[in-house]
Amino acid sequence: MNYTLHQLQIFLKITELKSITKASKALFLSQPAVSIQLKKFQNQFSIPLTEVIGRQLYVTEFGKEIAEAAEKILNEVEMINYKSLAFKGEVAGRLKISVVSTGKYVMPYFLSDFMKDNKGVDLVMDVTNKESVIKSLSENKVDFSLVSVVPEQLKLNCLELMENKLFLIGNGDTNISISASNDEIFEQYPLLYREEGSATRNAMEDFIASKDLPTRKKMELTSNEALKQAVIAGLGVTIMPLIGLKNELKNGDLKIIPFKGLPLITNWNLIWLKNKKLSPTAEAYLDFISSEKDRITAKNFEWHESY
């Protein structure tokens, strides 16, 4: 056997993505280069690692076992690198964070300075839906998660980072002549929803129910970005977080519609399992964010506080 770490990395990525094309893009390599390395790696085994049926690549049972071994080897090599940096007094290791979709407008600002100051830290940030965030946290696959509503079914530690404000939003041409206390807006314009289970949708539905507001035909979209574009296009109005609307409000593509009882205010929370033993890297990040969160909020989200 004379395989290289590079070949292990390529083979592992192929098994993860089930595609040479996708693996080449993920690794920033050409497709022929990935194919050549896979062939060289395969030549060291008498049993097939992969097979192509039709146009789909499949990993054989033997290939799956080799992939598991490759992952262990690469993790050990990574740990050697981290230990080398830690021995020199540097923070080194992997930091894993899962973030609800709207949190992508928040979390990078609370990571930037820490990552700049700690070159030995590798960041894995998964931006996904609320259900997946809670699942990854409950299965101990991440160090921290960012949510706007803290799940009650888990025993968690929680650190508030900043406010999350939800307003009634229409596009720049929405002409509202009614008073802020009038609910006719919900009769005049279709209401756009996030998908079921979304914290944004739950907050909006609770508000509508508490006010006994009438609603016209509803449309459902699976991300805040899609929701935002639908409102800009004039498909209707919605209640959504302010945090991702800075440029659209500034450009006049969207406007806040005053309405009694709004904004709804929650908090962006960094959460982690109560019984989790944090790694030195995660501990270092928690120390950083605990002491710097107010400075980061003031520096990057002053516009948010003005609404």
Side-chain angles (χ1 to χ4, degrees), residues 176-192:
I176 307 299
S177 59
I178 56 179
S179 69
S181 61
N182 200 314
D183 61 11
E184 292 176 17
I185 177 66
F186 291 98
E187 296 175 338
Q188 294 177 20
Y189 293 89
L191 191 60
L192 309 185

Side-chain angles (χ1 to χ4, degrees), residues 6 10 55 197 253 267:
H6 185 52
I10 288 175
R55 301 180 67 179
D253 296 323
N267 288 288

Side-chain angles (χ1 to χ4, degrees), residues 250-269:
K250 182 179 179 181
N251 296 337
D253 296 323
L254 294 174
K255 66 168 61 170
I256 292 173
I257 302 169
F259 196 89
K260 187 176 181 180
L262 295 176
L264 303 175
I265 298 179
T266 60
N267 288 288
W268 287 110
N269 303 283

Side-chain angles (χ1 to χ4, degrees), residues 54-284:
R55 301 180 67 179
Q56 179 63 49
L57 183 145
Y58 295 89
V59 183
T60 65
E61 288 302 314
F62 178 66
K64 291 176 183 177
E65 291 189 16
I66 297 301
E68 288 181 11
E71 185 174 19
K72 291 177 182 177
I73 292 169
L74 292 170
N75 285 340
E76 288 298 320
V77 171
E78 190 176 67
M79 191 56 63
I80 289 172
N81 294 333
Y82 291 152
K83 287 181 178 179
S84 174
L85 291 169
F87 193 77
K88 295 189 292 184
E90 300 179 29
V91 176
R94 181 174 290 177
L95 183 64
K96 295 183 179 181
I97 301 176
S98 59
V99 179
V100 293
S101 57
T102 311
K104 66 178 176 284
Y105 301 109
V106 177
M107 198 68 225
Y109 294 97
F110 289 92
L111 285 163
S112 179
D113 288 347
F114 180 78
M115 296 302 297
K116 288 176 183 176
D117 293 342
N118 298 283
K119 304 297 185 184
V121 174
D122 292 329
L123 173 66
V124 179
M125 188 173 80
D126 182 27
V127 180
T128 183
N129 57 48
K130 179 185 174 184
E131 183 180 346
S132 296
V133 166
I134 295 173
K135 187 173 185 288
S136 65
L137 188 69
S138 65
E139 294 178 354
N140 199 28
K141 292 181 177 179
V142 295
D143 299 305
F144 304 103
S145 294
L146 182 73
V147 296
S148 59
V149 178
V150 178
E152 297 179 356
Q153 65 269 38
L154 299 176
K155 294 181 179 179
L156 300 167
N157 289 313
C158 176
L159 179 66
E160 289 185 4
L161 298 186
M162 60 176 286
E163 283 188 342
N164 179 40
K165 302 176 183 178
L166 290 84
F167 287 89
L168 180 61
I169 302 295
N171 75 0
D173 296 326
T174 305
N175 184 18
I176 307 299
S177 59
I178 56 179
S179 69
S181 61
N182 200 314
D183 61 11
E184 292 176 17
I185 177 66
F186 291 98
E187 296 175 338
Q188 294 177 20
Y189 293 89
L191 191 60
L192 309 185
Y193 285 72
R194 280 287 304 274
E195 76 281 7
E196 287 190 15
S198 158
T200 298
R201 175 164 177 158
N202 291 342
M204 183 168 75
E205 288 185 327
D206 289 346
F207 178 75
I208 290 170
S210 70
K211 300 291 185 181
D212 194 25
L213 297 171
T215 57
R216 280 186 57 196
K217 178 182 176 181
K218 68 181 182 183
M219 286 170 263
E220 185 175 296
L221 298 99
T222 57
S223 74
N224 262 45
E225 195 61 34
L227 193 65
K228 180 168 64 176
Q229 294 305 320
V231 176
I232 291 173
L235 286 176
V237 298
T238 191
I239 294 174
M240 68 184 302
L242 174 67
I243 195 67
L245 308 179
K246 180 181 180 181
N247 292 332
E248 290 78 11
L249 290 171
K250 182 179 179 181
N251 296 337
D253 296 323
L254 294 174
K255 66 168 61 170
I256 292 173
I257 302 169
F259 196 89
K260 187 176 181 180
L262 295 176
L264 303 175
I265 298 179
T266 60
N267 288 288
W268 287 110
N269 303 283
L270 192 70
I271 57 176
W272 64 101
L273 294 174
K274 233 170 196 178
N275 58 355
K276 181 176 178 63
K277 181 174 174 54
L278 295 176
S279 68
T281 302
E283 287 278 11

